[in-house]
Amino acid sequence: MDIEIVKVGMADLNSALHPCMITTLGLGSCVGVALYDSKTKVSGLAHVMLPCSEQAKNNSNIAKFADTAIVKLVEDMVKLGAKRERIVAKIAGGAQMFVFNGGSDLMRIGHRNVVASKEKLAELNIPIISEDTGGNYGRTIELYSEDGRLMIKTIGFGVKQL
Amino acid sequence: MTISFEELNNLQLDVLKEIGNIGAGNAVTSLAKMLDKRVDMAVPKARILGFDKVTQILGGEEMLVVGILLNVTGDITGSIMFTMDINAARQLVNILFGNKDSSSLEFDELELSALKEIGNILTASYLSALAGLTNLKILPSVPELAIDMAGAILSVPAIEFGKVGDSVLYIETEFSEGITKVFGDFLLIPDVDSYEVLLKALGVIG
């Protein structure tokens, strides 16, 4: 069976029906939020860049922010037949790519993206069943609709399955 | 008022390009001194690019690149990043250490600190051109280096740019020593509040 391969860019989101593999490449301080409904196998992935749309001067792209992107992704998945109550989440990314003493805002953004994503998921009652966040390295992630597994590939830090 | 690079017209963009040109020129002179070799440079290209395009230019999100990041303080605040392809970094290190003919993509401590220093010299030269032209005080921090996927490295400046728009100001340089060509890219990342200061000082906005 041919599976559809769906790419998600930076500050972007996408959802698809089974069979599919949704991927986003080279996550750094951004966070990948993978959502999955195990019954319908509807899958969705958001590549979140910033924690909060309300703090931004330009918030026209709702896929960019954790608070707006996750809401939109859930809506899109429900349209594809997913049931809100069944959706679970796996998150990855939020690395700190450069280490500076004193750490400005720019440097802590990875952690803030993770926190904001978790808060939004909690607010929507979406359980996080696993995560691979933090560290100082990039990640490419792939969400498989077959079983909802999330593969995480890195350079020098191996391959992981969530 | 918030200004993003996306709203600049061609003339304004030319001003930024010219700074890129002078800055990169300074940078190459410094690099030639460091290498004690003649270094040539092509005219840099300054572009306003969407996030997705930047990673494509670097060879795709998963391409292994070296990123050197410095914080900037003074009259404007923000950061500046210099990125280069991992193979270009190897070539530079080989040139710097003379007769080494390594093709390894792993760098030892000494080589890493040499790369940091190269990034430091290049970005500091760029910033001093910018400071000279604008009469702004611009002070760089010590450099930090990361080697990883282009997407991950560029997420750092992209996030900062992301607060005001969906594009980055990107200056592509190409320099060569003998037959060895090295491509590198500068990304200037002013903090949100520094755009106006910077563009005003450049006479781009009133």
Side-chain angles (χ1 to χ4, degrees):
Chain A
M1 190 160 54
D2 278 343
I3 67 166
E4 187 191 357
I5 294 174
V6 181
K7 242 186 109 170
V8 174
M10 201 179 268
D12 186 16
L13 58 84
N14 245 318
S15 49
L17 292 167
H18 176 66
C20 70
M21 185 275 269
I22 313 184
T23 181
T24 193
L25 309 176
L27 273 172
S29 298
C30 301
V31 170
V33 180
L35 301 183
Y36 183 65
D37 171 0
S38 61
K39 190 155 178 217
T40 58
K41 301 192 174 186
V42 170
S43 309
L45 181 63
H47 183 143
V48 166
M49 248 176 120
L50 287 162
C52 180
S53 60
E54 282 153 32
Q55 288 162 7
K57 310 249 175 182
N58 175 350
N59 55 16
S60 54
N61 178 4
I62 58 172
K64 200 193 281 181
F65 308 95
D67 56 347
T68 46
I70 295 172
V71 171
K72 175 76 165 74
L73 188 60
V74 171
E75 278 171 16
D76 288 357
M77 288 172 66
V78 168
K79 275 183 204 152
L80 290 178
K83 198 144 192 248
R84 203 174 281 266
E85 295 72 33
R86 276 196 306 256
I87 293 175
V88 295
K90 293 178 180 178
I91 62 174
Q96 181 170 343
M97 298 305 299
F98 293 88
V99 183
F100 276 97
N101 291 330
S104 69
D105 243 21
L106 175 63
M107 303 309 141
R108 285 191 302 266
I109 193 74
H111 177 67
R112 284 171 47 213
N113 278 333
V114 172
V115 170
S117 300
K118 284 182 178 173
E119 279 173 7
K120 198 67 201 179
L121 289 166
E123 196 188 307
L124 298 171
N125 289 317
I126 297 173
I128 299 170
I129 52 176
S130 51
E131 67 171 293
D132 178 37
T133 57
N136 62 348
Y137 52 89
R139 298 167 171 90
T140 281
I141 62 173
E142 298 170 347
L143 172 65
Y144 290 85
S145 68
E146 187 189 6
D147 52 3
R149 73 182 185 279
L150 189 70
M151 299 299 299
I152 297 166
K153 298 174 179 171
T154 65
I155 293 175
F157 292 87
V159 178
K160 235 183 246 177
Q161 182 180 328
L162 289 188
Chain B
M1 184 176 58
T2 314
I3 301 135
S4 79
F5 286 135
E6 286 153 74
E7 293 156 39
L8 299 180
N9 62 32
N10 277 340
L11 179 73
Q12 294 165 338
L13 202 51
D14 278 346
V15 174
L16 290 172
K17 279 187 193 172
E18 187 52 26
I19 292 172
N21 202 355
I22 296 169
N26 279 359
V28 165
T29 308
S30 311
L31 187 63
K33 273 189 201 147
M34 184 179 177
L35 299 176
D36 197 20
K37 292 212 163 81
R38 184 193 155 90
V39 177
D40 295 312
M41 182 190 71
V43 177
K45 295 175 206 151
R47 280 185 274 189
I48 308 290
L49 286 178
F51 305 139
D52 48 332
K53 301 284 185 323
V54 180
T55 47
Q56 276 168 25
I57 282 185
L58 289 171
E61 292 92 338
E62 291 184 294
M63 191 78 181
L64 195 56
V65 300
V66 177
I68 294 151
L69 186 75
L70 294 90
N71 284 330
V72 173
T73 52
D75 293 332
I76 61 166
T77 56
S79 346
I80 183 164
M81 181 182 259
F82 179 73
T83 62
M84 60 190 152
D85 175 72
I86 190 93
N87 295 305
R90 168 50 66 195
Q91 285 174 351
L92 264 185
V93 166
N94 286 354
I95 296 169
L96 191 64
F97 290 102
N99 51 11
K100 273 184 130 185
D101 193 23
S102 167
S103 59
S104 165
L105 298 183
E106 304 267 320
F107 296 92
D108 63 30
E109 279 294 308
L110 185 66
E111 291 172 332
L112 282 177
S113 93
L115 278 175
K116 255 191 209 181
E117 189 48 29
I118 289 168
N120 196 18
I121 288 172
L122 292 175
T123 46
S125 311
Y126 178 85
L127 288 175
S128 83
L130 186 61
L133 280 170
T134 55
N135 280 323
L136 292 173
K137 194 169 77 181
I138 304 175
L139 307 165
S141 72
V142 290
E144 286 300 330
L145 178 139
I147 301 176
D148 212 308
M149 300 181 210
I153 299 271
L154 287 168
S155 73
V156 177
I159 284 171
E160 206 50 36
F161 279 112
K163 291 176 186 168
V164 286
D166 289 301
S167 317
V168 299
L169 169 67
Y170 157 95
I171 296 149
E172 185 185 344
T173 55
E174 177 196 328
F175 39 95
S176 49
E177 186 272 314
I179 52 160
T180 313
K181 274 205 172 90
V182 177
F183 296 90
D185 306 294
F186 289 98
L187 292 139
L188 180 65
I189 315 146
D191 283 345
V192 175
D193 301 326
S194 293
Y195 279 79
E196 208 174 327
V197 179
L198 185 62
L199 294 173
K200 257 187 190 153
L202 289 168
V204 169
I205 58 167

